[in-house]
Amino acid sequence: MNKELRRPISALLAALLAASLLAVPGTALAEEAAQPTADAPAADTDGILVIAEGTSSVAALAADGGGETGVEAAEVREALEDAGLQVTEQLSDEAGGAVFAANAPAGMSDEEAARMAGELPGVACAQPNYVYYAIDDISQPDLLSAGLDEGEVAVLAALPLRANDPYAAISSPTASRNQYWLYASAFPEAWEFVTTDGAVTVAVMDSAVYSDHEDLRANVLRDEAWDATDDGPMDFDTANYTVNSGHGTSVAGVVSGVANNGRGIAGASFNGQVLPVRVFNNEGQSSTKFIYQAFMHLMREKASGRLTDLRVVNLSLGTYKAEAVADGILRGCIALMRDDFGVVTICAGGNGDKAGRPRTDPLYPADWPECVAVTALTADGANASWSDYNPYKDISAPGVSMLTTRPGSSNAYGTMSGTSFSAPLVSGAFMLLFTAFPEASVGDARDAVYASATPISDSVNDRSETSGSHGALNAKGALCYLKAWRFTDMPRNHWSCESVGYAALKGIVNGYADGSGAFGVEATVTREQAACMLYNYLGDDASAPAAPQGDVDQGQWYAGGVNWAVATGAMNGYSASDFGVGHRLTREQAACILANASHADVDVADPTKFNGLKGTAQASDWARAALIWAVDEGILNGVDNGDGTRSLAPGQYVTRSQMAALMTNAIEAGIL
């Protein structure tokens, strides 16, 4: 999305502040925003930031390198200094650059200084420069060699996977080197539909990334990398990669370790581009100023057309201090990136206190509604005991013992734990979504991630009533939902969204060809439509002799599919002369054609689940064995009666959504 920014940053932030969306301490936040706890300690600050009125837009800078400010920068500086403030820096921003960092006069707090500066002529808004801290990993990394033992090699040989990276093929979390987290979040299944392969860029706002690593080198945008602490290009020769325990390098590996290079790991995005943006100083601290400068650089690059593929920002920092909720500059930048540039900001959700206990108070910026806040899961899908939770969290992903890239040598790998390594998994899922659907908005992609999330079952750390997390990340499911929502008549909460999306991604169903963009969610399936759905998946474009039934018009759209279905025995028609074109398909007929198409031995099926359904006596004799088989295999699950029971309903007509679900069930069960 190369959409030029047409609103001045200062005007946007001033409007947000005036509307109380970005509240100052003591005022009400917007209803949906995370509320600070009453006893939270004061925020750490490092001076103040001041934005002058009328600062011209990023679009103007990108277009011609110039622009007019409503107030002369020198006048604002003079007003600040006359008030006793020490101006330390004029930040690189928009044309005119009327943005200042300043220190408070002796004896005055940064909050008081910001209030005073905000009243001065020519000032649009002023606020403290809040300090943010890295969300550190909660365990020391276990550095590993590059070899595999014989057992792991055997597993590698047995697992079909689009990526040929040795650790990516190890799905068991108990193996010494594995990428269980890919499988837990359904990334291999998602990769069957889409791989990023350079189509989308993620900005990793973190410590420096060790770009010479064998599993990062090909995906890191070295020439575009930015050091926001110096507000200039990244110097990889002098960068300190050990800050925050090499955090940035490990985050980059999770989201985009080079896939299919026969080495090490495969990142979740499958070769998305990584733009390193350093926002931590050598003491491991960041600030509003650093992150602001990072966002300003990204906005300028987006507006100029140089970073059109940037769609995701990954942040692993935060503060629990209540006053930071008033960080209008940071929150405004995140909102602006989303609304004007289609960029989503993914945030680590917090790793609890130093004693390993989860925190439930808000963490900023993660818990603002403009961000996606990620909590951590264990290898078995339970909540990590130390992972923060509250109503403002959004999604959960694996975050324990994550094998990833480490700095120091070109083939160093290690295991890391923390929400900082859950967040890049979610970033990788968004990158796949934006690759598959470049036109998708942040809101659509976010809603698909949330709607497709799977329930978290955890009796020990049950947070179902207290956490805002929609569940565990399901990368394949998110793709399916977003695909299904492309159909104009698909309700977002329809039970069949994932199945219809899956079938559409597989090319089984395509919707109506009348230009309406509709799928026909509740329309019934005709027999010729069912034949074409099977042909789309199994036919491999093969041609077949004309079907002998006289009602099959060889000049119609369905002829190829029906011819194939009859020739292969998937469908036999009502008789030698009547296929049943235009007749609606029943559930028992669907069971028979799926059994025929898969060459199933229906006579060996277990009838236990079949006998547990109501209405089995209504099954036709010719269909009973196929129905028993379909129920036993989980292809047909019965119709919900609303009272805890289910009915076979063999004569009920099959809707297009139901047919998509039946075929999806059969494919995922390995039947088709």
Side-chain angles (χ1 to χ4, degrees):
M1 299 180 68
N2 185 16
K3 180 179 180 181
E4 286 189 336
L5 175 63
R6 303 191 182 279
R7 295 175 289 169
I9 299 290
S10 58
L12 172 73
L13 297 179
L16 291 174
L17 285 163
S20 295
L21 176 61
L22 305 174
V24 297
T27 64
L29 265 179
E31 191 170 308
E32 76 276 13
Q35 301 291 329
T37 56
D39 58 350
D44 296 330
T45 59
D46 184 18
I48 68 171
L49 298 175
V50 180
I51 299 182
E53 292 177 351
T55 302
S56 59
S57 70
V58 174
L61 176 66
D64 57 20
E68 297 296 330
T69 58
V71 180
E72 289 291 336
E75 294 176 7
V76 177
R77 178 189 289 268
E78 183 177 356
L80 294 171
E81 292 176 342
D82 286 347
L85 292 159
Q86 178 189 0
V87 177
T88 59
E89 189 177 1
Q90 184 169 333
L91 306 183
S92 172
D93 179 55
E94 306 159 283
V99 180
F100 300 95
N103 289 330
M108 183 181 291
S109 71
D110 287 337
E111 288 182 1
E112 293 169 333
R115 292 180 191 277
M116 178 181 69
E119 299 297 325
L120 296 175
V123 172
C125 56
Q127 67 162 68
N129 179 32
Y130 295 100
V131 174
Y132 292 93
Y133 300 92
I135 299 178
D136 295 327
D137 61 291
I138 64 168
S139 60
Q140 290 298 312
D142 175 24
L143 294 181
L144 304 171
S145 64
L148 292 170
D149 61 38
E150 291 183 3
E152 290 169 332
V153 170
V155 174
L156 169 60
L159 280 174
L161 186 69
R162 174 164 285 196
N164 64 6
D165 311 86
Y167 300 147
I170 311 299
S171 61
S172 170
T174 61
S176 62
R177 283 145 287 185
N178 68 83
Q179 281 192 264
Y180 80 87
W181 40 273
L182 289 175
Y183 299 85
S185 300
F187 278 99
E189 295 92 333
W191 294 343
E192 291 301 312
F193 297 127
V194 61
T195 54
T196 302
D197 288 326
V200 173
T201 296
V202 57
V204 175
M205 289 191 185
D206 212 296
S207 56
V209 172
Y210 183 67
S211 63
D212 283 335
H213 197 288
E214 65 178 3
D215 244 356
L216 292 175
R217 190 180 302 120
N219 288 342
V220 171
L221 299 175
R222 286 179 58 99
D223 293 341
E224 291 81 13
W226 196 252
D227 187 342
T229 67
D230 289 333
D231 204 23
M234 179 83 75
D235 186 344
F236 285 95
D237 293 330
T238 61
N240 183 353
Y241 303 109
T242 65
V243 171
N244 300 337
S245 301
H247 198 276
T249 301
S250 295
V251 168
V254 173
V255 68
S256 205
V258 180
N260 210 36
N261 66 344
R263 300 180 181 183
I265 66 169
S269 69
F270 206 108
N271 293 333
Q273 296 185 50
V274 174
L275 176 64
V277 180
R278 181 189 177 205
V279 294
F280 289 111
N281 60 23
N282 287 333
E283 287 69 49
Q285 294 181 3
S286 190
S287 68
T288 305
K289 185 182 82 169
F290 292 158
I291 309 169
Y292 171 72
Q293 291 183 150
F295 274 115
M296 285 299 101
H297 173 70
L298 297 181
M299 288 185 205
R300 288 192 297 269
E301 293 296 286
K302 287 284 287 184
S304 72
R306 289 188 290 269
L307 269 181
T308 57
D309 296 330
L310 176 68
R311 299 299 303 274
V312 182
V313 167
N314 192 97
L315 274 175
S316 294
L317 50 76
T319 181
Y320 296 96
K321 306 299 178 65
E323 287 83 358
V325 72
D327 193 344
I329 290 178
L330 176 53
R331 190 170 172 190
C333 286
I334 293 170
L336 201 59
M337 286 294 281
R338 178 194 64 188
D339 298 337
D340 283 60
F341 294 108
V343 176
V344 64
T345 299
I346 313 297
C347 296
N351 297 341
D353 60 22
K354 298 298 182 182
R357 295 169 298 202
R359 297 183 64 149
T360 58
D361 47 335
L363 173 69
Y364 309 107
D367 289 353
W368 288 328
E370 291 81 8
C371 301
V372 175
V374 186
T375 66
L377 302 174
T378 62
D380 60 0
N383 294 301
S385 61
W386 39 260
S387 181
D388 288 1
Y389 63 97
N390 59 38
Y392 314 110
K393 307 306 182 191
D394 297 305
I395 193 70
S396 304
V400 175
S401 298
M402 306 278 284
L403 182 64
T404 184
T405 50
R406 299 290 299 149
S409 69
S410 63
N411 65 348
Y413 299 86
T415 54
M416 307 288 282
S417 296
T419 56
S420 288
F421 309 103
S422 307
L425 271 181
V426 177
S427 292
F430 273 90
M431 294 174 77
L432 291 174
L433 291 175
F434 289 133
T435 299
F437 308 101
E439 77 289 352
S441 67
V442 169
D444 282 348
R446 178 201 61 205
D447 291 349
V449 168
Y450 296 168
S452 61
T454 56
I456 298 169
S457 178
D458 187 347
S459 59
V460 177
N461 294 302
D462 182 14
R463 296 166 183 170
S464 56
E465 300 298 323
T466 52
S467 176
S469 174
H470 291 77
L473 175 67
N474 177 359
K476 182 210 75 173
L479 280 169
C480 294
Y481 268 75
L482 202 49
K483 178 64 174 179
W485 292 345
R486 303 298 96 182
F487 294 118
T488 56
D489 62 337
M490 175 59 75
R492 293 210 165 194
N493 61 348
H494 198 267
W495 66 268
S496 71
C497 281
E498 187 163 353
S499 297
V500 169
Y502 181 87
L505 287 168
K506 285 283 191 182
I508 296 169
V509 296
N510 301 302
Y512 294 144
D514 58 5
S516 67
F519 175 70
V521 177
E522 300 298 339
T524 52
V525 176
T526 61
R527 288 173 54 81
E528 66 272 19
Q529 288 174 342
C532 288
M533 290 180 187
L534 283 171
Y535 176 70
N536 288 343
Y537 184 66
L538 298 173
D540 197 26
D541 293 327
S543 59
Q549 288 88 348
D551 60 336
V552 180
D553 186 342
Q554 294 299 317
Q556 289 296 316
W557 59 270
Y558 58 75
V562 171
N563 293 341
W564 171 89
V566 172
T568 59
M571 298 180 72
N572 300 312
Y574 292 147
S575 67
S577 60
D578 184 13
F579 178 80
V581 171
H583 291 212
R584 291 178 290 180
L585 190 76
T586 65
R587 288 166 60 83
E588 60 184 5
Q589 288 173 348
C592 289
I593 65 173
L594 289 172
N596 292 342
S598 61
H599 307 289
D601 185 357
V602 297
D603 293 328
V604 300
D606 185 345
T608 303
K609 289 192 288 185
F610 175 86
N611 292 333
L613 298 174
K614 291 185 175 181
T616 55
Q618 300 168 10
S620 301
D621 290 341
W622 52 267
R624 180 171 293 271
L627 284 166
I628 292 172
W629 167 83
V631 173
D632 184 40
E633 293 288 355
I635 298 171
L636 203 75
N637 298 308
V639 176
D640 190 349
N641 296 319
D643 59 0
T645 64
R646 304 186 75 87
S647 293
L648 181 65
Q652 187 179 94
Y653 294 123
V654 179
T655 66
R656 287 169 58 83
S657 296
Q658 290 171 341
M659 190 64 187
L662 293 176
M663 290 197 65
T664 296
N665 292 343
I667 293 168
E668 294 192 330
I671 303 301
L672 288 181

